[in-house]
Amino acid sequence: MFQAINDIRPYFIRFLSILLLVSGTLYGAPPTEEAKETKTCSLLEKGVPEDYLLSRGFQEQVDAFQSAARRKPEEAKKQHEAAVGFFEKFHNCRKEENLEPTYLSAYSIAASYLELGDLSLAMNWSETAYKKFQTPNPPSRESILLKTRVEIRKGELEIASDTLEKDLKDYPYDSDFLYLLGNLNFELKRWTKSALYYTSLWDLIQKRDTNSKYKSTVLKSLGELNYKLDNPKRALFYYLAYLDLARNDTEVIFRVAQINYLLGDFSNTKKYLNWIRESNPREIDASHMLGEIYLLDSRVMAPGYFVALAKEKKIPKEGLISLLDRFLKGEKQGLATELSSFIEKNPGRLAARVAYQESVPSSEKERLYKAMLSTAALAFQYRQYVVSENAFNSAIRFAEKEEGLEGDLPGLFERVSHCEEAMGYPNSAILSVKKAILITKSEEEKNNLKYRLAYLLLNPGIKKYDASLAIGKSLLEKEPKNPAYHYLQGLVYFQKEDYKQSLANFSKAVELEPQNNNYLFYRATVFDKLKNFPKTEADLLASIQTNPENPNAYNYLGYLYAERGIKKEEALSYLKKAVDLEPDNAAYQDSLGWIYFKTNQWKEALLHLHFAEQISVDRDAEDPVIFDHLGDVYLAKKDLVKAGFYWQRALPLTKDDTESSKIKTKLTTVQKELAE
């Protein structure tokens, strides 16, 4: 069921072997004169110490694990049963003296009960071992891992994750903890939390444990997680690193080809599909996918590839590849109908839609136009923006010639603008929207297009704020009670750092739509810029109330409280909520670490600040605030070397002159102290 159940078993063998060595002098040793005079357990001969039973239990248990390693399950079972017998007798002897079981005996009997499948007793005894440690001493890592294993075997994956998280602050660099947490949360489909722990483990492997047994597993898991979380470029990075270690994993090679396809990189898509074909000539799925890619990417090369498929006898009598083969050969008789039937059953196959669009007779105008639109829409959904743009442009040329379709043209140009924006061509997108505005006859549609144009002008590569403001002003003159227009103006003024005017627009948007948490949140950011904390707080609280699942508002308010050193319990609660909603957000982890620092919980502070560091580095978005905070925590711990290290990392990234000056002062002070 669960990949990680047996991954830590070797540690039990080593751990119990150590116990056996420690207690070895007791096993079979003749009683001393002093021992003969001490009170003897009723279960033992006079003079034999009770530790003899513990030693025998250890011996049987080590033998049992070794038998299991030699694949002798029946022998291992008998030895575990014998071990349990000795441990129980040891506990009975302790009971005669009104003494509790020891940590070692509780831990060991729990381990044997787990191997015997008695999960109830295994849980009871693992809990006993776990609770032997009193604050401030943390539970031993072995007792935590054992308790976790029992919970996993019971199917209590969420509880197992909670057990590990509770004590992770004491074992932040333990690869077994991080691996289990990544694995557990993956099984629970908590993708962002799983990504957090696997990212942390990958950072640990790179810095401290380069020969880790988890290396390939972590890389593959991070590839899959980033794929699930719609981070295709990060997924590709990890999958390719994994393939350096496991070059024959066809499943991952195929996934890499799929990701390149999603990214519009047909060249690399073909490269990896050919890799599969070369390594396994009988493989059929990669060959067929490659055929679809050739059809989409290169009409010149596609016929030759299908000839090769025919020679390899990989063109079936039915199905999409057979239809595409006929299409490339120019056999269009009845092909449109067959492709239409295929699309009804398989609506997500883009190559089928492209072939269908080009197979529909020009005389069937309505059918042809619908085919163009459906091809364009599906291509956009699949991020095949070039294919989508081409299909939309075909629809535009068609609509320009056909009577009655001129009303569709503005919308088609707008869709082209979305393709151009997605491909990173904001100027082209602006031109397409302007074309749409010029030809539309609908006042409502014109206003919507102008709104989009004003939005495009805010693009970081454009920054035509005044032009955007002018458009917004004209829209407000027509519809002064449209909250979206006021909101847009507020955003533009915010970018221009005209916070008073930004506040006026956001306030009007809130007045017109008071339950819109987005408007409330952005007005709060303006109040913060204007140093009006009471109103900032009020708007953030209102934003949280209108949308309790908005992590941004929780983080913002919690961090403000932390910075001011007020309402620390509320701050901690809000920041925990933000992290719970979005665990792999570096800013939220940083804020949570900061409030822990402000409340003198340094272990927790370092845990979350290092999470923030690992996430930001992993995403090529290093943040000087995170490094500055780490420097402050290490300074408080009197670790001047690490404090200086993090301030040196923060300094070149800091753009604010005031913050830069503060960091320089702290760094200079530390360097002087280290030099003395």
Side-chain angles (χ1 to χ4, degrees):
M1 178 193 73
F2 186 75
Q3 184 179 352
I5 287 179
N6 297 319
D7 284 345
I8 56 174
R9 183 169 295 171
Y11 289 95
F12 282 85
I13 298 174
R14 293 199 295 273
F15 179 64
L16 292 168
S17 297
I18 293 169
L19 297 185
L20 182 61
L21 289 172
V22 171
S23 59
T25 56
L26 300 173
Y27 177 65
T32 64
E33 292 299 321
E34 183 180 352
K36 290 178 182 178
E37 295 176 3
T38 60
K39 184 179 178 181
T40 303
C41 172
S42 63
L43 299 175
L44 294 167
E45 294 181 9
K46 186 176 180 179
V48 178
E50 63 186 26
D51 286 344
Y52 166 80
L53 297 169
L54 190 61
S55 178
R56 287 298 309 276
F58 291 157
Q59 180 66 68
E60 292 290 348
Q61 194 170 58
V62 170
D63 289 346
F65 280 115
Q66 290 174 342
S67 294
R70 293 194 297 268
R71 299 185 180 181
K72 296 181 178 180
E74 291 302 318
E75 189 176 317
K77 180 182 177 183
K78 290 178 182 178
Q79 289 164 332
H80 275 300
E81 289 171 344
V84 165
F86 283 116
F87 293 139
E88 286 179 340
K89 288 179 180 179
F90 175 76
H91 291 153
N92 287 332
C93 288
R94 300 276 294 177
K95 193 172 183 180
E96 288 181 10
E97 300 177 61
N98 293 319
L99 296 174
E100 294 181 353
T102 66
Y103 162 71
L104 295 180
S105 65
Y107 173 92
S108 301
I109 196 171
S112 280
Y113 273 128
L114 175 60
E115 297 303 319
L116 291 169
D118 192 331
L119 301 183
S120 178
L121 286 173
M123 178 55 71
N124 289 342
W125 283 111
S126 67
E127 287 275 9
T128 300
Y130 179 84
K131 292 176 180 177
K132 286 292 179 181
F133 299 86
Q134 300 295 324
T135 305
N137 298 319
S140 71
R141 71 179 296 278
E142 288 77 16
S143 69
I144 298 166
L145 291 172
L146 175 59
K147 185 171 179 288
T148 301
R149 284 187 70 219
V150 178
E151 289 161 347
I152 291 170
R153 283 282 291 275
K154 291 180 71 178
E156 298 172 344
L157 303 189
E158 192 165 350
I159 294 174
S161 178
D162 291 343
T163 296
L164 290 165
E165 285 182 339
K166 179 177 179 292
D167 296 302
L168 184 60
K169 66 182 184 298
D170 296 305
Y171 302 96
Y173 305 117
D174 192 295
S175 57
D176 292 322
F177 275 56
L178 293 170
Y179 173 71
L180 282 168
L181 280 165
N183 208 332
L184 283 163
N185 284 285
F186 192 96
E187 290 288 322
L188 291 164
K189 294 182 171 55
R190 299 193 296 207
W191 312 126
T192 53
K193 186 169 275 194
S194 180
L196 168 71
Y197 292 122
Y198 276 130
T199 299
S200 184
L201 178 52
W202 177 238
D203 181 75
L204 178 67
I205 289 170
Q206 289 178 298
K207 292 178 178 177
R208 300 176 180 228
D209 190 12
T210 54
N211 295 317
S212 173
K213 62 180 178 179
Y214 297 130
K215 191 170 185 178
S216 62
T217 304
V218 171
L219 288 169
K220 187 174 182 179
S221 298
L222 281 169
E224 187 167 352
L225 284 164
N226 278 283
Y227 183 77
K228 289 179 181 294
L229 292 169
D230 199 26
N231 298 319
K233 291 184 179 179
R234 294 307 298 164
L236 195 59
F237 170 82
Y238 283 113
Y239 275 138
L240 291 177
Y242 167 75
L243 286 175
D244 285 340
L245 304 175
R247 294 186 61 80
N248 296 322
D249 192 328
T250 303
E251 179 185 348
V252 171
I253 299 171
F254 195 80
R255 177 57 59 81
V256 166
Q258 289 177 314
I259 293 171
N260 278 291
Y261 170 72
L262 287 175
L263 293 172
D265 187 345
F266 289 148
S267 176
N268 271 317
T269 303
K270 288 185 280 189
K271 169 186 170 182
Y272 288 104
L273 291 174
N274 275 317
W275 182 351
I276 296 173
R277 279 169 50 79
E278 290 168 7
S279 61
N280 182 7
R282 295 184 180 180
E283 208 284 332
I284 198 77
D285 290 335
S287 297
H288 285 178
M289 182 179 176
L290 192 53
E292 295 182 46
I293 297 298
Y294 270 113
L295 180 88
L296 295 172
D297 182 46
S298 176
R299 226 35 93 70
V300 174
M301 301 292 292
Y305 178 73
F306 273 80
V307 168
L309 283 184
K311 289 180 180 178
E312 296 170 11
K313 298 182 179 180
K314 289 182 179 178
I315 296 181
K317 293 181 180 179
E318 297 180 345
L320 180 58
I321 293 299
S322 174
L323 294 172
L324 297 182
D325 184 48
R326 288 167 54 193
F327 167 75
L328 290 169
K329 289 176 178 176
E331 300 175 11
K332 295 189 177 182
Q333 184 66 35
L335 187 59
T337 301
E338 291 183 59
L339 282 165
S340 178
S341 177
F342 178 86
I343 289 168
E344 284 181 14
K345 298 175 185 177
N346 306 274
R349 302 294 283 274
L350 182 58
R353 289 187 182 272
V354 170
Y356 172 65
Q357 173 190 324
E358 296 184 28
S359 299
V360 175
S362 58
S363 58
E364 298 184 38
K365 295 181 179 181
E366 183 178 353
R367 188 182 180 191
L368 176 58
Y369 186 53
K370 286 182 179 180
M372 293 173 182
L373 296 180
S374 64
T375 299
L378 185 65
F380 190 87
Q381 180 184 335
Y382 285 169
R383 301 180 185 175
Q384 301 304 314
Y385 302 120
V386 173
V387 176
S388 180
E389 182 184 23
N390 289 338
F392 278 129
N393 280 327
S394 295
I396 287 171
R397 289 191 292 273
F398 185 89
E400 286 174 336
K401 296 177 182 178
E402 294 300 317
E403 187 177 346
L405 294 179
E406 62 273 5
D408 289 0
L409 288 170
L412 292 172
F413 277 112
E414 184 191 7
R415 291 185 179 95
V416 168
S417 80
H418 283 287
C419 294
E420 291 165 335
E421 183 186 11
M423 290 188 288
Y425 306 132
N427 284 305
S428 297
I430 287 170
L431 289 175
S432 293
V433 173
K434 285 182 176 180
K435 288 179 185 177
I437 292 170
L438 285 173
I439 61 177
T440 185
K441 296 179 180 179
S442 164
E443 190 66 24
E444 181 181 356
E445 187 173 26
K446 183 169 289 190
N447 290 341
N448 290 336
L449 288 166
K450 285 184 175 180
Y451 185 86
R452 170 152 174 74
L453 177 58
Y455 164 78
L456 285 170
L457 291 168
L458 295 180
N459 185 284
I462 305 296
K463 293 184 180 181
K464 293 186 177 180
Y465 299 139
D466 291 335
S468 182
L469 284 173
I471 294 170
K473 183 180 178 181
S474 69
L475 291 172
L476 282 170
E477 287 173 355
K478 297 175 184 177
E479 294 184 54
K481 292 188 177 182
N482 187 318
Y485 294 165
H486 287 285
Y487 170 69
L488 177 64
Q489 291 292 84
L491 287 177
V492 183
Y493 279 119
F494 190 90
Q495 292 295 326
K496 287 171 65 69
E497 299 183 4
D498 186 343
Y499 300 123
K500 289 185 179 180
Q501 188 57 53
S502 179
L503 176 61
N505 285 109
F506 283 137
S507 293
K508 190 63 178 179
V510 171
E511 177 190 326
L512 293 166
E513 196 174 330
Q515 296 303 307
N516 188 308
N517 81 92
N518 209 32
Y519 299 166
L520 287 163
F521 178 81
Y522 275 96
R523 188 172 71 169
T525 65
V526 178
F527 277 130
D528 186 33
K529 290 289 186 182
L530 294 171
K531 311 298 182 186
N532 190 333
F533 176 72
K535 290 190 176 180
T536 302
E537 180 184 33
D539 271 358
L540 289 172
L541 287 169
S543 179
I544 288 170
Q545 188 175 7
T546 56
N547 181 10
E549 300 302 304
N550 178 11
N552 230 351
Y554 288 111
N555 176 67
Y556 204 137
L557 184 55
Y559 190 75
L560 288 176
Y561 285 159
E563 281 289 88
R564 285 165 173 75
I566 63 172
K567 300 183 180 182
K568 293 179 181 178
E569 289 186 10
E570 289 95 327
L572 184 58
S573 174
Y574 289 141
L575 293 172
K576 281 183 175 179
K577 180 68 174 177
V579 166
D580 185 55
L581 289 168
E582 202 171 319
D584 63 339
N585 186 301
Y588 301 167
Q589 289 286 353
D590 172 71
S591 297
L592 183 55
W594 195 235
I595 187 59
Y596 276 127
F597 173 63
K598 291 284 188 175
T599 53
N600 298 317
Q601 300 178 72
W602 293 346
K603 285 183 178 179
E604 290 86 347
L606 285 175
L607 175 68
H608 291 283
L609 288 172
H610 278 303
F611 279 156
E613 175 195 7
Q614 290 152 5
I615 295 165
S616 62
V617 170
D618 178 69
R619 296 175 182 175
D620 297 321
E622 293 184 333
D623 189 336
V625 174
I626 296 170
F627 296 146
D628 185 27
H629 286 168
L630 279 164
D632 288 341
V633 178
Y634 278 115
L635 179 66
K637 288 172 62 65
K638 301 190 185 305
D639 190 335
L640 303 185
V641 173
K642 285 188 178 178
F645 169 76
Y646 280 107
W647 285 326
Q648 283 179 328
R649 291 182 71 182
L651 194 56
L653 299 172
T654 305
K655 296 179 181 179
D656 184 275
D657 291 340
T658 302
E659 290 302 315
S660 180
S661 179
K662 289 179 182 178
I663 294 171
K664 283 180 182 177
T665 300
K666 290 189 284 189
L667 185 56
T668 301
T669 302
V670 164
Q671 289 172 338
K672 283 182 179 178
E673 288 189 42
L674 287 171
E676 291 177 358

